[in-house]
Amino acid sequence: MVDKNAPIAFLHIPKTAGMTLHEILTDQYPHTKQKLIYTVDYTKTYTQLSEEKKRKIGVIKGHFLYGIHEVMPLSPVYLTMLRDPISRTISGYEFIKIKKDHPFYNEMRDKNISLKDFLNNKCVNNFDNIQVRFLCGDNSMAFGEVNESHFELAKKNLLSNNLLFGITAQKIRHRALPL
């Protein structure tokens, strides 16, 4: 059973409708102290907080890996969203092509990199199996090195008593992408 005072840890896997859930949490918990963690540096600032300050945070949300509960004073309820991996990959690729402040935007634009080349050339090291990476709590593997043990750990974590998840349901509208 989950403690009613347990903080919420929204594990936002990129391109899985996370911004929608982010906004819902902001609206539903307006008087609750919230902490955004969208970079490794933000994670470090959280881990360096005193236990007293951590206890005051009721909602943590962002691009962090499963396992943040290990540095939290109270065991959280994790929330996450999942998405069809192919749709998520295509969406991530399209996002990089339009997000001007993304580290790979200029290269994608200048070289007009196709989805096939993007994946074959392993342009973004952690782009493959990102849902498994986040849920197993390990993002250190090189592109293509996520294996069955990572998948089994991700499933175990996903099915734990303190993780609630939803599946992004959407009408599949794939337009032809240049391969």
Side-chain angles (χ1 to χ4, degrees):
M1 176 130 177
V2 176
D3 180 345
K4 68 177 183 158
N5 296 317
I8 295 170
F10 170 45
L11 192 155
H12 178 186
I13 300 169
K15 309 312 297 170
T16 61
M19 290 308 297
T20 300
L21 191 51
H22 166 83
E23 291 171 10
I24 290 169
L25 289 169
T26 299
D27 291 346
Q28 291 299 309
Y29 297 94
H31 304 295
T32 301
K33 186 168 175 109
Q34 300 191 16
K35 176 82 171 164
L36 291 174
I37 299 178
Y38 277 99
T39 68
V40 172
D41 289 337
Y42 288 173
T43 303
K44 286 179 186 174
T45 61
Y46 175 77
T47 59
Q48 293 170 352
L49 290 175
S50 69
E51 186 167 323
E52 179 184 342
K53 287 184 179 180
K54 287 180 185 176
R55 285 185 180 277
K56 291 180 181 177
I57 298 170
V59 178
I60 296 176
K61 47 192 176 179
H63 297 314
F64 53 84
L65 304 176
Y66 182 87
I68 198 161
H69 63 276
E70 294 172 3
V71 296
M72 295 178 73
L74 297 171
S75 213
V77 173
Y78 278 94
L79 300 178
T80 197
M81 295 296 291
L82 302 174
R83 182 175 182 183
D84 170 74
I86 294 170
S87 295
R88 201 218 64 78
T89 299
I90 292 169
S91 179
Y93 166 78
E94 292 290 333
F95 177 79
I96 293 169
K97 286 176 52 177
I98 63 168
K99 184 74 170 154
K100 292 181 178 178
D101 62 347
H102 193 282
F104 294 97
Y105 169 80
N106 288 331
E107 183 177 357
M108 297 277 286
R109 184 197 63 215
D110 296 346
K111 295 181 181 176
N112 196 27
I113 297 173
S114 70
L115 175 61
K116 181 179 179 181
D117 289 340
F118 177 80
L119 295 171
N120 284 340
N121 295 334
K122 305 170 184 175
C123 291
V124 178
N125 186 49
N126 68 348
F127 205 76
D128 68 317
N129 294 299
I130 198 163
Q131 294 176 113
V132 170
R133 290 170 179 272
F134 270 63
L135 291 168
C136 81
D138 186 356
N139 194 21
S140 66
M141 303 77 77
F143 193 103
E145 291 187 3
V146 173
N147 61 39
E148 191 71 25
S149 65
H150 298 116
F151 178 64
E152 290 302 320
L153 181 55
K155 284 193 321 187
K156 178 184 172 206
N157 292 339
L158 185 64
L159 298 174
S160 73
N161 291 330
N162 68 334
L163 196 145
L164 305 173
F165 67 92
I167 298 174
T168 302
Q170 55 200 12
K171 187 175 182 180
I172 298 176
R173 302 178 313 212
H174 295 295
R175 61 184 165 99
L177 293 173
L179 295 177

